[in-house]
Amino acid sequence: QAVVTQEPSLTVSPGGTVTLTCGSSTGVVTSGHYPFWFQQKPGQAPRTLIYDTSNKHSWTPARFSGSLLGGKAALTLSGAQPEDEAEYFCLLSYSGPRVFGGGTKLTVL
Amino acid sequence: EVQLVESGGGLVQPGGSLRLSCVASGFTLSNYWMNWVRQAPGKGLEWVANIKRDGNEKYYVDSVKGRFTISRDNGKNSLYLQMNSLRAEDTAVYYCASPGDWGQGTLVTVSS
């Protein structure tokens, strides 16, 4: 099965902008991989932020956005808040099976 | 309010079996592909299995093929995961997840 790669850790300043990426061992990530992004805080269940590349749920803060960038899926946080400190996971679909990335631990500092 | 509630986790010996259940409320399960996802202690998320809306397509991560079976009962708004031949490396919190919503998880511990 494919391997999905994410940055292990990133740091952003409060109010700053950061982009997390999600790559695939099989090649370019496309909308056909239906990229998802999830946020997980310690001791909590994950929460879906983005589905199908760029669609937001009603609870997704407007400062989060999803896109395809440089052959990868991307999650951009614009105007980081202290409460955005968390681990972020992407998920790609491979025509049935899904694969998670290893997660990016985001520090807001 | 949408809720997914998992149950059935617990302590089991290597080689044993467990059946996890997930009951949905506040939305119609039959409208969605459903997933089981697990998270070993201190580790990341691992997708385990999913099942099509009508139950006619199922997919599994390689490490559980032949041991785990995902199923659903749309009439009961419920999702299941039958886990056989359990191994220590199956120890994790198991989450039931729709495309948008997650349960709180149920802990499965495989140990002698």
Side-chain angles (χ1 to χ4, degrees):
Chain A
Q1 287 175 323
V3 175
V4 176
T5 55
Q6 298 183 244
E7 299 85 1
S9 63
L10 291 169
T11 300
V12 62
S13 300
T17 297
V18 64
T19 297
L20 289 65
T21 68
C22 177
S24 172
S25 63
T26 62
V28 173
V29 175
T30 71
S31 59
H33 289 95
Y34 303 101
F36 276 68
W37 290 94
F38 307 93
Q39 178 192 65
Q40 188 178 34
K41 296 182 178 179
Q44 296 183 15
R47 183 174 74 146
T48 306
L49 289 178
I50 300 288
Y51 64 97
D52 295 351
T53 305
S54 58
N55 295 292
K56 300 180 186 182
H57 284 288
S58 57
W59 54 80
T60 305
R63 59 185 179 273
F64 288 96
S65 62
S67 65
L68 296 175
L69 190 66
K72 297 181 180 182
L75 176 70
T76 299
L77 171 58
S78 303
Q81 301 297 309
E83 61 265 30
D84 299 327
E85 185 160 299
E87 191 146 23
Y88 293 83
F89 295 92
C90 69
L91 176 74
L92 300 180
S93 173
Y94 293 88
S95 300
R98 311 307 200 238
V99 181
F100 278 99
T104 296
K105 185 171 182 180
L106 182 67
T107 301
V108 180
L109 187 62
Chain B
E1 179 193 4
V2 173
Q3 269 200 315
L4 294 170
V5 179
E6 303 95 336
S7 62
L11 175 63
V12 61
Q13 291 189 340
S17 298
L18 279 177
R19 188 191 194 213
L20 305 184
S21 299
C22 170
V23 178
S25 59
F27 79 109
T28 303
L29 198 88
S30 60
N31 289 340
Y32 302 99
W33 280 77
M34 291 297 296
N35 301 270
W36 285 102
V37 175
R38 67 185 179 183
Q39 187 168 36
K43 301 296 185 182
L45 300 175
E46 180 180 37
W47 175 83
V48 174
N50 63 0
I51 184 169
K52 195 178 178 181
R53 287 175 287 271
D54 59 8
N56 286 339
E57 286 184 47
K58 305 174 185 181
Y59 299 93
Y60 300 91
V61 67
D62 285 349
S63 59
V64 309
K65 284 180 182 175
R67 299 189 299 124
F68 290 11
T69 302
I70 189 172
S71 62
R72 66 194 299 160
D73 185 336
N74 289 335
K76 295 183 178 179
N77 234 25
S78 294
L79 178 72
Y80 306 101
L81 186 68
Q82 177 66 43
M83 305 188 295
N84 298 332
S85 303
L86 282 161
R87 306 167 180 167
E89 55 264 36
D90 296 318
T91 294
V93 174
Y94 284 73
Y95 295 100
C96 161
S98 72
D101 299 285
W102 293 67
Q104 285 303 302
T106 187
L107 176 62
V108 172
T109 303
V110 184
S111 174
S112 54

